[in-house]
């Protein structure tokens, strides 16, 4: 979570700098988008990990039930 929060804060800072430095606006907006993209990637990866761990737990439970039924 720290990474995601840090990336979001960096993106916010870059957007603020884009407003304060109009001559470098394009650079700061590009940086903000890069940090935002990294934050979204981490968020997506964590969601995928939760889904995979849920599926794995479900499969283990079903496997255990099948084993008990056979025994």
């Amino acid at each position: 979570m720290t990474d995601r929060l840090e990336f979001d804060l960096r993106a916010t800072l870059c957007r603020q700098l884009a407003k304060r430095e109009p001559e470098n606006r394009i650079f700061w907006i590009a940086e903000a988008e890069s940090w935002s993209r990294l934050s979204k990637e981490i968020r997506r990866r964590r969601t995928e990990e939760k889904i995979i761990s849920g599926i794995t737990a479900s499969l283990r439970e079903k496997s255990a039930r099948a084993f008990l039924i056979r025994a």
Side-chain angles (χ1 to χ4, degrees):
M1 178 139 145
T2 304
D3 292 338
R4 195 178 103 205
L5 177 60
E6 181 182 347
F7 293 162
D8 286 340
L9 290 173
R10 287 178 183 232
T12 301
L13 175 61
C14 288
R15 288 186 187 96
Q16 290 172 352
L17 288 168
K19 290 178 184 176
R20 290 184 186 172
E21 300 179 9
E23 65 280 355
N24 294 321
R25 184 177 188 282
I26 293 172
F27 169 77
W28 291 120
I29 293 297
E31 279 294 304
E33 290 303 315
S34 177
W35 290 117
S36 292
R37 193 170 23 260
L38 286 171
S39 177
K40 289 176 187 174
E41 186 177 303
I42 287 175
R43 196 173 304 141
R44 188 175 355 186
R45 191 177 321 137
R46 288 194 177 141
T47 300
E48 289 172 356
E49 287 171 0
K50 286 180 185 177
I51 291 170
I52 289 170
S53 67
I55 291 170
T56 303
S58 176
L59 290 173
R60 283 184 186 150
E61 183 180 322
K62 288 178 182 180
S63 176
R65 285 184 194 165
F67 179 75
L68 289 174
I69 291 172
R70 288 182 198 165

